[in-house]
Amino acid sequence: MSHPRCVRFWTRAVICLVITGMVLLVVPTEVARATATVFADGFESGTLAAWTVHTGAGGSAAATRADVATGLWAARLSETSSSGSVANARVTLLATTDVTVSGTFKVVAEGATGGNTPLLRLFSSTGTRVISLYRQNHAGNRVWIQINGVYTGTTGLLPLGTWAQAQVHLVVNGSASTIEVSLNGSRIYQTGSASIGTAPITTLQIGNDTPAQAFTIGVDDIAVTQGSTPTPTASPTPTPTPTPTPTPTASPTPTPTPTPTPTPTASPTPTPTPTPTPTASPTPTPGSCNPAMPQPPYTFPVPSILQDNFEASTIGPQWSVDQEGGGTVAISTTTAHTGLCAGLFTVSTSSTSRAYISEDLGGSKTDVWASGWFDVAQPGQPGNNVPYLRFFDGSNRVADVFRQNDGGDAWLRTADGSGGWSYVKLNLLMPLNSWHQVTLHVAPNGTTSTVQVWIDGVSAYTSTAYYLPTAQLTTVLLGSEHVSQQAVEYFDDVTIGAR
């Protein structure tokens, strides 16, 4: 009797041939994804010899031992704001339509507001920049991705001076291309409907090919893999009575659900109508809250006016409540930031639908703080928005923070004193069905007003020389005082203070 002979294909596929004189038996086992590492550099050579380096006018790119993620060496690239200053390093790849690039990055210094620090860029065989993964300067540490000229904020944060591992997986497929981005192992962006053409990827770049865009970045542990999942087949020698040979089929790589995030165009909200007389508190959603739960902590440097975790099974008497035209303000037991309950606004597109709660500050105040946790479960119409916090002087709205329905970015809006509005894009993405903390601080004083916004505890905007057409505030409002501002929005753990 002969002995079986096994042949290993790829890394985990084994085909065993048992020859008995009459039978050839092909036994397939698990088929693994046949990716191939085509480039890797931890810079342990102490050089950038594997790269084509381009520097000029004060830009630099070199290996360093002073600051590394792993091992003894890393790369450091630096560019100044001087005209012509540039620093980048590129490596040419085998042309591929399926590529994964990973690396560890540390933004040591950022440049001017409006600029950015690229982490990695991928170029096609036509020389087109297909993807740029970057950290926007002075924008709350947010990581952004540029895809064929379209800019989109991810959910990832990369603080200055912190090493983080980033990975980009790209499958080129015309208008149905797949892009997946992870930061420290967590998915921060994905789409299955990117439109990037069909040209294969041939070049990886670290650093910046745009001159005079100041930055300093550390780079370590770059790795590039290519390939998809092939189906191996055996080529047996024919015998008089061959046994049928099953052909193993590899599982296809799933296509992630697309989540396109277009860049919004903010549309001004109409001038607010006077605040109506409050109605009685609404009947709570059936369920069980936890009234014994402590109120959210108070951290503002002004006297506390309100702390509410909405665990009392009803909207508390400290709030003025307005709900009309089918719009509702309720207590929900289905989701909460903390505890068992949260507030819930539901507003339709009806011409009379409206829902909000407001807190009177007890007179004219010159330094107002408010914070709350918000979860937008359903946005409204394109061109409109879902409000978070709004500050008023009497019946005049002075400042507010909202989530734009188109794309989901957070915005700051302030009255300009002539019946219009000034808008500041905060460059922070607010995904649906997730809790986010929004904090707004306003100290109105004409041309020397202070306006500050934090999102999830990270500073998104600050100015101490902001123009506001008032020197006092009287009311903080959650929800919208306008009709037809469609939304389903949860709110929880609200704190308000003023002096």
Side-chain angles (χ1 to χ4, degrees):
M1 179 177 180
S2 60
H3 297 285
R5 296 187 179 184
C6 296
V7 181
R8 181 173 297 274
F9 290 85
W10 287 272
T11 58
R12 295 171 63 189
V14 180
I15 296 179
C16 294
L17 310 180
V18 182
I19 303 175
T20 65
M22 294 297 290
V23 178
L24 176 64
L25 177 63
V26 180
V27 184
T29 63
E30 180 182 359
V31 178
R33 188 168 186 257
T35 57
T37 299
V38 296
F39 180 81
D41 196 354
F43 305 98
E44 295 303 309
S45 66
T47 71
L48 270 65
W51 303 77
T52 300
V53 176
H54 180 207
T55 61
S60 62
T64 178
R65 299 185 66 173
D67 191 3
V68 303
T70 63
L72 299 176
W73 292 87
R76 176 168 287 205
L77 298 93
S78 184
E79 189 173 308
T80 74
S81 58
S82 299
S83 176
S85 182
V86 68
N88 64 69
R90 291 186 174 188
V91 63
T92 300
L93 309 173
L94 294 174
T96 181
T97 57
D98 187 347
V99 62
T100 301
V101 180
S102 64
T104 310
F105 304 89
K106 178 180 180 179
V107 179
V108 179
E110 60 188 336
T113 300
N116 64 74
T117 302
L119 305 182
L120 62 87
R121 289 176 171 174
L122 293 172
F123 295 80
S124 73
S125 58
T126 64
T128 301
R129 183 197 300 169
V130 177
I131 284 180
S132 176
L133 186 68
Y134 61 94
R135 177 190 182 276
Q136 189 70 21
N137 297 340
H138 307 285
N141 301 314
R142 185 68 57 184
V143 175
W144 283 65
I145 187 168
Q146 177 192 10
I147 304 171
N148 210 19
V150 177
Y151 302 84
T152 304
T154 75
T155 59
L157 299 178
L158 178 54
L160 276 175
T162 302
W163 285 101
Q165 197 265 354
Q167 177 176 289
V168 175
H169 175 222
L170 169 64
V171 178
V172 179
N173 187 27
S175 61
S177 297
T178 295
I179 298 172
E180 300 167 311
V181 184
S182 298
L183 190 67
N184 290 328
S186 298
R187 183 66 48 80
I188 62 173
Y189 175 83
Q190 69 177 28
T191 180
S193 58
S195 181
I196 59 174
T198 58
I201 300 301
T202 57
T203 304
L204 164 65
Q205 176 186 291
I206 55 176
N208 201 346
D209 51 310
T210 303
Q213 194 162 312
F215 73 91
T216 300
I217 189 171
V219 182
D220 209 348
D221 300 327
I222 294 291
V224 182
T225 60
Q226 296 177 355
S228 56
T229 309
T231 303
T233 55
S235 299
T237 302
T239 63
T241 55
T243 300
T245 303
T247 301
T249 302
S251 301
T253 302
T255 301
T257 302
T259 55
T261 52
T263 302
T265 301
S267 299
T269 305
T271 304
T273 56
T275 303
T277 303
T279 63
S281 297
T283 303
T285 301
S288 177
C289 297
N290 181 12
M293 184 174 177
Q295 295 294 346
Y298 186 81
T299 59
F300 300 145
V302 294
S304 174
I305 290 179
L306 178 148
Q307 295 165 256
D308 197 346
N309 58 16
F310 302 97
E311 294 292 328
S313 298
T314 185
I315 301 296
Q318 67 270 41
W319 295 101
S320 295
V321 179
D322 181 273
Q323 50 180 354
E324 54 189 280
T328 61
V329 183
I331 295 294
S332 171
T333 58
T334 61
T335 187
H337 172 246
T338 60
L340 301 174
C341 294
L344 172 62
F345 296 123
T346 304
V347 180
S348 72
T349 56
S350 166
S351 61
T352 59
S353 183
R354 175 167 61 185
Y356 68 83
I357 59 176
S358 62
E359 174 65 17
D360 189 302
L361 300 178
S364 299
K365 304 297 181 180
T366 58
D367 193 0
V368 179
W369 296 71
S371 181
W373 286 84
F374 301 88
D375 178 357
V376 179
Q378 179 181 319
Q381 299 297 311
N384 214 322
N385 61 75
V386 178
Y388 291 128
L389 295 167
R390 293 182 167 182
F391 287 7
F392 285 78
D393 175 13
S395 61
N396 298 315
R397 192 192 329 149
V398 176
D400 69 299
V401 179
F402 62 86
R403 179 192 186 276
Q404 185 71 16
N405 292 338
D406 314 70
D409 287 289
W411 289 73
L412 166 69
R413 171 174 47 192
T414 56
D416 65 6
S418 59
W421 301 95
S422 298
Y423 293 86
V424 177
K425 186 177 182 181
L426 300 177
N427 294 320
L428 293 169
L429 193 65
M430 311 292 273
L432 294 172
N433 299 301
S434 59
W435 286 98
H436 297 279
Q437 185 185 35
V438 179
T439 302
L440 177 60
H441 171 221
V442 178
N445 190 33
T447 58
T448 58
S449 300
T450 294
V451 178
Q452 295 176 289
V453 181
W454 291 263
I455 304 292
D456 294 331
V458 177
S459 176
Y461 181 81
T462 185
S463 174
T464 57
Y466 202 97
Y467 171 72
L468 293 175
T470 186
Q472 64 180 24
L473 296 170
T474 62
T475 308
V476 173
L477 184 145
L478 279 66
S480 175
E481 74 277 16
H482 298 296
V483 296
S484 308
Q485 196 152 342
Q486 182 184 26
V488 175
E489 179 184 25
Y490 297 93
F491 53 95
D492 203 355
D493 294 329
V494 174
T495 56
I496 299 173
R499 63 183 170 202

